[in-house]
Coordinates of all heavy atoms in Angstrom, one line a residue:
R190 N 0.8 -1.2 0.0 CA 0.0 0.0 0.0 C 0.9 1.2 0.0 O 1.9 1.3 0.7 CB -0.9 0.0 1.2 CG -1.8 1.1 1.4 CD -2.7 1.0 2.6 NE -2.1 1.4 3.8 CZ -2.7 1.7 4.9 NH1 -4.0 1.4 5.0 NH2 -2.1 2.1 5.9
V191 N 0.5 2.2 -0.8 CA 1.3 3.5 -0.9 C 0.3 4.6 -0.5 O -0.8 4.7 -1.1 CB 1.8 3.7 -2.3 CG1 2.5 5.1 -2.3 CG2 2.8 2.6 -2.7
T192 N 0.7 5.4 0.4 CA -0.1 6.6 0.9 C 0.8 7.8 0.9 O 2.0 7.7 1.0 CB -0.8 6.3 2.2 OG1 0.3 6.1 3.2 CG2 -1.7 5.2 2.2
T193 N 0.2 9.0 0.9 CA 0.8 10.2 1.1 C 0.1 11.0 2.2 O -1.1 10.9 2.3 CB 0.9 11.1 -0.2 OG1 -0.4 11.3 -0.6 CG2 1.7 10.3 -1.3
R194 N 0.9 11.8 2.8 CA 0.3 12.7 3.9 C 1.0 14.0 3.9 O 2.3 14.0 3.9 CB 0.4 12.0 5.2 CG -0.3 12.7 6.4 CD -0.3 11.9 7.6 NE 1.0 11.5 8.0 CZ 1.4 10.3 8.5 NH1 0.4 9.4 8.7 NH2 2.6 10.0 8.8
T195 N 0.3 15.1 3.9 CA 0.9 16.4 4.0 C 0.4 17.1 5.3 O -0.8 17.2 5.5 CB 0.6 17.3 2.8 OG1 1.1 16.6 1.6 CG2 1.3 18.6 2.9
E196 N 1.4 17.6 6.1 CA 1.1 18.4 7.3 C 2.3 19.1 7.8 O 3.4 18.6 7.6 CB 0.5 17.5 8.4 CG 1.3 16.3 8.8 CD 0.6 15.4 9.8 OE1 -0.4 14.8 9.5 OE2 1.1 15.3 10.9
N197 N 2.1 20.3 8.4 CA 3.1 21.1 8.9 C 4.3 21.3 8.0 O 5.5 21.3 8.3 CB 3.7 20.4 10.2 CG 2.6 20.3 11.3 OD1 1.7 21.2 11.4 ND2 2.7 19.2 12.0
G198 N 4.0 21.6 6.7 CA 5.0 21.9 5.7 C 5.8 20.7 5.2 O 6.8 20.9 4.5
W199 N 5.4 19.5 5.5 CA 6.1 18.3 5.0 C 5.1 17.4 4.3 O 3.9 17.3 4.7 CB 6.7 17.5 6.2 CG 7.8 18.2 6.8 CD1 7.8 19.2 7.8 CD2 9.2 18.0 6.6 NE1 9.1 19.6 8.1 CE2 9.9 18.8 7.4 CE3 9.9 17.1 5.7 CZ2 11.3 18.9 7.3 CZ3 11.2 17.1 5.7 CH2 12.0 18.0 6.5
T200 N 5.6 16.7 3.3 CA 4.9 15.6 2.6 C 5.6 14.3 2.8 O 6.8 14.2 2.6 CB 4.8 15.9 1.1 OG1 4.1 17.1 0.9 CG2 4.0 14.8 0.4
A201 N 4.8 13.3 3.3 CA 5.4 12.0 3.6 C 4.8 11.0 2.5 O 3.6 11.0 2.3 CB 5.0 11.5 5.0
I202 N 5.7 10.2 2.0 CA 5.3 9.1 1.1 C 5.6 7.8 1.9 O 6.7 7.6 2.3 CB 6.1 9.1 -0.2 CG1 5.9 10.5 -0.9 CG2 5.7 8.0 -1.1 CD1 7.0 10.7 -2.0
I203 N 4.6 7.0 2.1 CA 4.7 5.8 2.9 C 4.4 4.6 2.1 O 3.3 4.5 1.5 CB 3.7 5.9 4.1 CG1 4.0 7.2 4.9 CG2 3.9 4.7 5.0 CD1 2.8 7.9 5.4
V204 N 5.3 3.7 2.0 CA 5.1 2.4 1.3 C 5.1 1.3 2.4 O 6.0 1.2 3.2 CB 6.2 2.1 0.3 CG1 6.0 0.8 -0.4 CG2 6.3 3.3 -0.7
E205 N 4.0 0.6 2.4 CA 3.8 -0.4 3.5 C 3.5 -1.8 2.9 O 2.6 -1.9 2.0 CB 2.7 0.1 4.4 CG 2.5 -0.7 5.6 CD 1.4 -0.1 6.5 OE1 1.7 0.8 7.3 OE2 0.2 -0.4 6.3
G206 N 4.1 -2.8 3.4 CA 3.8 -4.2 3.0 C 3.4 -5.0 4.3 O 4.0 -4.8 5.3
R207 N 2.5 -5.9 4.2 CA 2.1 -6.7 5.3 C 2.1 -8.1 4.9 O 1.7 -8.5 3.8 CB 0.7 -6.3 5.8 CG 0.7 -4.9 6.4 CD -0.8 -4.6 6.9 NE -0.8 -3.3 7.5 CZ -0.5 -3.1 8.8 NH1 -0.2 -4.1 9.6 NH2 -0.6 -1.8 9.3
G208 N 2.4 -9.0 5.9 CA 2.4 -10.4 5.6 C 3.3 -11.1 6.6 O 4.3 -10.6 7.0
P209 N 3.0 -12.4 6.9 CA 3.8 -13.1 7.9 C 5.2 -13.5 7.4 O 6.1 -13.7 8.2 CB 2.9 -14.4 8.1 CG 2.1 -14.5 6.9 CD 1.9 -13.2 6.4
R210 N 5.4 -13.5 6.1 CA 6.8 -13.9 5.6 C 7.6 -12.8 5.1 O 8.7 -12.9 4.6 CB 6.6 -15.0 4.6 CG 6.0 -16.3 5.2 CD 5.8 -17.4 4.2 NE 6.4 -17.2 2.9 CZ 6.2 -18.0 1.9 NH1 5.3 -19.0 2.0 NH2 6.7 -17.8 0.7
L211 N 7.0 -11.6 5.2 CA 7.7 -10.4 4.6 C 8.9 -10.0 5.4 O 8.8 -10.0 6.7 CB 6.7 -9.2 4.6 CG 7.1 -8.0 3.9 CD1 7.3 -8.3 2.4 CD2 6.0 -7.0 4.0
R212 N 10.0 -9.8 4.8 CA 11.3 -9.4 5.5 C 12.0 -8.3 4.8 O 12.0 -8.3 3.5 CB 12.2 -10.6 5.6 CG 11.7 -11.8 6.4 CD 11.6 -11.5 7.9 NE 10.9 -12.5 8.6 CZ 9.7 -12.5 9.0 NH1 8.9 -11.5 8.7 NH2 9.2 -13.5 9.7
L213 N 12.6 -7.4 5.5 CA 13.4 -6.4 4.9 C 14.9 -6.8 5.0 O 15.4 -7.1 6.1 CB 13.2 -5.1 5.8 CG 14.0 -3.8 5.3 CD1 13.5 -3.4 3.9 CD2 13.7 -2.7 6.3
D214 N 15.5 -6.9 3.8 CA 16.9 -7.3 3.8 C 17.8 -6.4 4.5 O 17.6 -5.1 4.4 CB 17.3 -7.4 2.3 CG 18.7 -8.0 2.1 OD1 19.7 -7.2 2.3 OD2 18.8 -9.2 1.8
P215 N 18.7 -6.9 5.3 CA 19.6 -6.0 6.1 C 20.4 -5.0 5.3 O 20.6 -3.8 5.7 CB 20.5 -7.0 6.8 CG 19.8 -8.3 6.9 CD 19.0 -8.3 5.6
Q216 N 20.8 -5.4 4.1 CA 21.5 -4.4 3.2 C 20.5 -3.2 2.8 O 21.0 -2.1 2.8 CB 22.0 -5.1 1.9 CG 23.3 -5.8 2.1 CD 23.9 -6.2 0.8 OE1 23.6 -5.6 -0.2 NE2 24.8 -7.1 0.8
V217 N 19.3 -3.6 2.5 CA 18.3 -2.5 2.2 C 18.1 -1.6 3.3 O 18.1 -0.4 3.2 CB 17.0 -3.1 1.7 CG1 15.9 -2.1 1.4 CG2 17.2 -3.9 0.4
A218 N 17.9 -2.1 4.5 CA 17.6 -1.3 5.7 C 18.8 -0.4 6.0 O 18.7 0.8 6.3 CB 17.4 -2.2 6.9
G219 N 20.0 -1.0 5.8 CA 21.2 -0.2 6.1 C 21.4 1.0 5.1 O 21.7 2.1 5.4
G220 N 21.1 0.7 3.8 CA 21.2 1.7 2.8 C 20.2 2.8 3.0 O 20.5 4.0 2.9
L221 N 19.0 2.5 3.4 CA 17.9 3.5 3.6 C 18.3 4.4 4.8 O 17.9 5.5 4.9 CB 16.6 2.8 3.8 CG 15.9 2.2 2.6 CD1 14.7 1.4 3.0 CD2 15.6 3.2 1.5
K222 N 19.0 3.8 5.8 CA 19.4 4.5 6.9 C 20.7 5.3 6.7 O 21.1 6.1 7.6 CB 19.6 3.6 8.1 CG 18.4 2.9 8.6 CD 18.7 1.9 9.7 CE 17.4 1.1 10.1 NZ 17.8 0.1 11.0
G223 N 21.3 5.2 5.5 CA 22.6 5.9 5.2 C 23.8 5.2 5.8 O 24.9 5.9 5.9
E224 N 23.7 4.0 6.2 CA 24.9 3.3 6.8 C 25.9 3.0 5.7 O 25.6 2.9 4.5 CB 24.4 2.0 7.4 CG 23.5 2.2 8.6 CD 23.0 0.9 9.2 OE1 23.3 -0.2 8.7 OE2 22.3 1.0 10.2
P225 N 27.2 2.8 6.1 CA 28.2 2.5 5.1 C 28.0 1.2 4.4 O 27.3 0.3 4.9 CB 29.5 2.5 5.9 CG 29.2 3.1 7.2 CD 27.7 3.0 7.4
A226 N 28.6 1.1 3.2 CA 28.4 -0.1 2.4 C 29.0 -1.3 3.2 O 30.0 -1.2 3.8 CB 29.1 0.0 1.1
P227 N 28.3 -2.5 3.0 CA 28.8 -3.7 3.7 C 30.1 -4.2 2.9 O 30.3 -3.8 1.7 CB 27.7 -4.7 3.5 CG 26.9 -4.2 2.3 CD 27.1 -2.7 2.3
S228 N 30.8 -5.0 3.5 CA 32.0 -5.6 2.8 C 31.4 -6.7 1.8 O 30.4 -7.3 2.1 CB 33.0 -6.3 3.7 OG 32.3 -7.2 4.5
G229 N 32.0 -6.9 0.7 CA 31.5 -7.9 -0.3 C 30.4 -7.2 -1.2 O 30.3 -6.0 -1.3
P230 N 29.7 -8.0 -1.9 CA 28.7 -7.5 -2.8 C 27.6 -6.6 -2.1 O 27.2 -7.0 -1.0 CB 28.0 -8.8 -3.4 CG 29.0 -9.9 -3.2 CD 29.7 -9.5 -1.9
A231 N 27.3 -5.5 -2.7 CA 26.4 -4.6 -2.1 C 25.3 -4.1 -3.0 O 24.8 -3.0 -3.0 CB 27.2 -3.3 -1.6
G232 N 24.8 -5.0 -3.9 CA 23.8 -4.7 -4.9 C 22.5 -4.2 -4.3 O 21.9 -3.3 -4.8
K233 N 22.1 -4.8 -3.2 CA 20.8 -4.4 -2.6 C 21.0 -3.1 -1.8 O 20.1 -2.3 -1.8 CB 20.3 -5.5 -1.7 CG 19.9 -6.8 -2.4 CD 19.5 -7.8 -1.4 CE 19.2 -9.1 -2.2 NZ 18.9 -10.2 -1.2
W234 N 22.2 -2.9 -1.2 CA 22.5 -1.7 -0.4 C 22.5 -0.5 -1.3 O 22.0 0.5 -0.9 CB 23.8 -1.9 0.3 CG 24.3 -0.7 1.0 CD1 24.0 -0.2 2.2 CD2 25.1 0.3 0.4 NE1 24.6 1.0 2.5 CE2 25.3 1.3 1.4 CE3 25.8 0.4 -0.8 CZ2 26.1 2.4 1.2 CZ3 26.6 1.6 -1.1 CH2 26.7 2.6 -0.1
V235 N 23.2 -0.6 -2.5 CA 23.4 0.6 -3.3 C 22.2 1.3 -3.7 O 22.0 2.5 -3.7 CB 24.4 0.3 -4.4 CG1 23.7 -0.5 -5.5 CG2 25.0 1.6 -5.0
Q236 N 21.1 0.5 -4.1 CA 19.9 1.1 -4.5 C 19.2 1.8 -3.4 O 18.7 2.9 -3.6 CB 19.0 0.0 -5.1 CG 19.6 -0.7 -6.3 CD 18.8 -1.9 -6.7 OE1 17.5 -1.8 -6.8 NE2 19.5 -3.0 -7.0
A237 N 19.2 1.2 -2.2 CA 18.6 1.9 -1.0 C 19.3 3.1 -0.6 O 18.8 4.1 -0.2 CB 18.5 0.8 0.1
F238 N 20.7 3.0 -0.7 CA 21.5 4.2 -0.3 C 21.3 5.3 -1.3 O 21.3 6.5 -0.9 CB 23.0 3.8 -0.3 CG 23.9 4.8 0.2 CD1 23.9 5.1 1.6 CD2 24.7 5.6 -0.6 CE1 24.8 6.0 2.1 CE2 25.5 6.5 -0.1 CZ 25.6 6.8 1.3
Y239 N 21.0 5.0 -2.6 CA 20.7 6.1 -3.6 C 19.4 6.8 -3.2 O 19.4 8.0 -3.2 CB 20.6 5.4 -5.0 CG 20.3 6.4 -6.0 CD1 21.2 7.2 -6.6 CD2 19.0 6.5 -6.5 CE1 20.9 8.2 -7.6 CE2 18.7 7.4 -7.5 CZ 19.6 8.2 -8.0 OH 19.3 9.1 -9.0
V240 N 18.4 6.0 -2.8 CA 17.2 6.6 -2.4 C 17.4 7.5 -1.1 O 16.9 8.7 -1.1 CB 16.1 5.5 -2.0 CG1 14.9 6.2 -1.3 CG2 15.7 4.8 -3.3
H241 N 18.2 7.0 -0.2 CA 18.5 7.8 1.0 C 19.1 9.1 0.6 O 18.7 10.2 1.1 CB 19.4 7.0 1.9 CG 20.1 7.8 3.0 ND1 19.5 8.1 4.2 CD2 21.3 8.4 3.0 CE1 20.3 8.9 4.9 NE2 21.4 9.0 4.2
N242 N 20.1 9.1 -0.2 CA 20.8 10.3 -0.6 C 19.9 11.3 -1.4 O 20.0 12.5 -1.2 CB 22.1 10.0 -1.5 CG 23.2 9.6 -0.6 OD1 23.3 10.0 0.6 ND2 24.2 8.9 -1.2
Q243 N 19.1 10.8 -2.3 CA 18.2 11.6 -3.0 C 17.2 12.4 -2.1 O 16.9 13.6 -2.3 CB 17.4 10.9 -4.1 CG 18.3 10.3 -5.2 CD 19.0 11.4 -6.0 OE1 18.4 12.4 -6.5 NE2 20.3 11.4 -6.0
V244 N 16.7 11.6 -1.2 CA 15.7 12.2 -0.2 C 16.5 13.3 0.7 O 16.0 14.4 0.9 CB 15.1 11.1 0.7 CG1 14.3 11.7 1.8 CG2 14.2 10.3 -0.2
R245 N 17.6 12.9 1.1 CA 18.4 13.9 2.0 C 18.8 15.1 1.2 O 18.7 16.2 1.7 CB 19.7 13.1 2.5 CG 20.4 14.0 3.5 CD 21.6 13.3 4.0 NE 22.5 13.1 2.8 CZ 23.7 12.6 2.9 NH1 24.2 12.2 4.0 NH2 24.4 12.6 1.8
E246 N 19.2 15.0 0.0 CA 19.6 16.2 -0.8 C 18.4 17.1 -1.1 O 18.6 18.3 -1.3 CB 20.3 15.7 -2.1 CG 21.7 15.2 -1.9 CD 22.4 15.0 -3.2 OE1 22.0 15.6 -4.3 OE2 23.4 14.2 -3.2
A247 N 17.2 16.5 -1.1 CA 16.0 17.3 -1.2 C 15.5 18.0 0.1 O 14.5 18.6 0.1 CB 14.9 16.5 -1.8
G248 N 16.3 17.7 1.1 CA 16.0 18.3 2.4 C 15.1 17.5 3.3 O 14.6 17.9 4.3
G249 N 15.0 16.2 2.9 CA 14.1 15.3 3.6 C 14.8 14.2 4.4 O 16.0 14.3 4.6
V250 N 14.0 13.3 4.9 CA 14.5 12.2 5.7 C 13.9 10.9 5.2 O 12.7 10.9 4.8 CB 14.3 12.3 7.2 CG1 15.1 13.5 7.7 CG2 12.9 12.5 7.5
A251 N 14.6 9.8 5.2 CA 14.1 8.5 4.8 C 14.2 7.6 6.1 O 15.1 7.7 6.8 CB 14.9 7.9 3.7
A252 N 13.2 6.7 6.2 CA 13.2 5.8 7.4 C 12.6 4.5 6.9 O 11.7 4.5 6.0 CB 12.5 6.4 8.5
C253 N 12.9 3.4 7.6 CA 12.3 2.1 7.4 C 12.1 1.5 8.7 O 12.7 1.8 9.7 CB 13.1 1.2 6.5 SG 14.8 0.9 7.1
E254 N 11.1 0.6 8.8 CA 10.7 -0.1 10.0 C 10.2 -1.5 9.7 O 9.5 -1.7 8.6 CB 9.6 0.7 10.7 CG 9.1 0.2 12.0 CD 8.0 1.0 12.6 OE1 7.9 2.2 12.3 OE2 7.2 0.4 13.3
Q255 N 10.5 -2.4 10.5 CA 10.1 -3.8 10.3 C 9.5 -4.3 11.6 O 10.2 -4.2 12.6 CB 11.2 -4.7 9.8 CG 10.8 -6.1 9.6 CD 11.9 -7.0 9.0 OE1 12.8 -6.5 8.4 NE2 11.8 -8.3 9.3
T256 N 8.4 -5.0 11.5 CA 7.8 -5.7 12.6 C 7.6 -7.1 12.1 O 7.9 -7.4 11.0 CB 6.5 -5.1 13.2 OG1 5.5 -5.2 12.2 CG2 6.7 -3.6 13.6
E257 N 7.0 -8.0 12.9 CA 6.7 -9.4 12.5 C 5.7 -9.4 11.3 O 5.8 -10.3 10.5 CB 6.3 -10.2 13.6 CG 7.4 -10.5 14.6 CD 7.0 -11.6 15.6 OE1 6.1 -12.5 15.2 OE2 7.6 -11.7 16.6
E258 N 4.8 -8.5 11.3 CA 3.8 -8.5 10.2 C 3.8 -7.4 9.2 O 3.0 -7.3 8.3 CB 2.4 -8.5 10.9 CG 2.1 -9.7 11.8 CD 1.8 -10.9 11.0 OE1 1.2 -10.8 9.9 OE2 2.2 -12.0 11.4
K259 N 4.8 -6.5 9.4 CA 4.8 -5.3 8.5 C 6.2 -4.8 8.2 O 7.0 -4.8 9.1 CB 3.9 -4.2 9.2 CG 3.9 -2.9 8.4 CD 3.0 -1.9 9.1 CE 3.8 -1.1 10.1 NZ 3.1 0.1 10.6
V260 N 6.4 -4.3 7.0 CA 7.6 -3.5 6.6 C 7.1 -2.2 6.0 O 6.2 -2.2 5.2 CB 8.4 -4.3 5.6 CG1 9.6 -3.5 5.1 CG2 9.0 -5.6 6.2
S261 N 7.7 -1.1 6.5 CA 7.3 0.2 5.9 C 8.5 1.0 5.6 O 9.6 0.9 6.3 CB 6.4 0.9 6.9 OG 7.0 1.2 8.1
F262 N 8.4 1.9 4.6 CA 9.4 2.8 4.2 C 8.7 4.2 4.1 O 7.6 4.3 3.5 CB 10.0 2.4 2.8 CG 10.7 3.6 2.2 CD1 12.0 4.0 2.7 CD2 10.2 4.2 1.1 CE1 12.6 5.0 2.1 CE2 10.9 5.3 0.5 CZ 12.1 5.7 1.0
T263 N 9.3 5.2 4.7 CA 8.8 6.5 4.7 C 9.8 7.5 4.2 O 11.0 7.5 4.6 CB 8.3 7.0 6.0 OG1 7.3 6.0 6.5 CG2 7.7 8.4 6.0
A264 N 9.4 8.3 3.2 CA 10.3 9.4 2.8 C 9.5 10.7 3.1 O 8.4 10.9 2.5 CB 10.6 9.3 1.3
A265 N 10.0 11.6 3.9 CA 9.4 12.8 4.3 C 10.2 13.9 3.6 O 11.4 14.1 3.8 CB 9.3 13.0 5.8
L266 N 9.5 14.8 2.9 CA 10.1 15.9 2.1 C 9.4 17.2 2.4 O 8.2 17.2 2.7 CB 10.1 15.6 0.6 CG 10.7 14.3 0.2 CD1 10.1 13.9 -1.2 CD2 12.2 14.5 0.1
P267 N 10.2 18.3 2.4 CA 9.5 19.6 2.5 C 8.4 19.7 1.4 O 8.7 19.4 0.3 CB 10.6 20.6 2.3 CG 11.9 19.8 2.6 CD 11.6 18.4 2.2
A268 N 7.3 20.2 1.8 CA 6.1 20.3 0.9 C 6.4 21.4 -0.2 O 5.6 21.4 -1.1 CB 4.9 20.6 1.7
T269 N 7.4 22.2 0.0 CA 7.6 23.3 -1.0 C 8.4 22.9 -2.2 O 8.7 23.7 -3.0 CB 8.3 24.4 -0.3 OG1 9.6 23.9 0.3 CG2 7.5 25.1 0.8
L270 N 8.8 21.6 -2.3 CA 9.5 21.2 -3.5 C 8.7 21.2 -4.8 O 7.6 21.0 -4.8 CB 10.0 19.7 -3.3 CG 11.1 19.6 -2.3 CD1 11.5 18.1 -2.1 CD2 12.4 20.3 -2.7

């Protein structure tokens, strides 16, 4: 599910997946958080890190969260873009 929300001068884009077997790869989570590249192949990390950098350069923040039944990604950007 993809939703958007605008409040207090910010627009948030939220991508959410639900299911008992859904998992967020550690490389993807690290890239979205802006963590350094892992040693070895980093194909999953680099795409997520690119998203993190694009959001940050636009003045926003990117975050991800995982629970047993849900994985979500949020990009919050200034609404004036």
Side-chain angles (χ1 to χ4, degrees):
R190 179 174 87 164
V191 178
T192 57
T193 60
R194 184 174 55 218
T195 301
E196 56 185 63
N197 298 324
W199 288 84
T200 298
I202 303 165
I203 303 137
V204 179
E205 185 177 272
R207 293 181 179 271
R210 296 179 10 191
L211 190 61
R212 299 288 175 260
L213 182 62
D214 187 280
Q216 280 195 18
V217 173
L221 290 172
K222 294 175 185 175
E224 295 175 358
S228 59
K233 296 176 184 176
W234 171 87
V235 72
Q236 296 172 47
F238 189 74
Y239 179 79
V240 170
H241 165 82
N242 278 340
Q243 293 299 305
V244 170
R245 188 180 63 173
E246 285 188 23
V250 293
C253 60
E254 181 180 332
Q255 179 177 334
T256 65
E257 287 193 26
E258 295 287 325
K259 179 178 90 169
V260 173
S261 65
F262 164 73
T263 303
L266 301 160
T269 58
L270 288 178

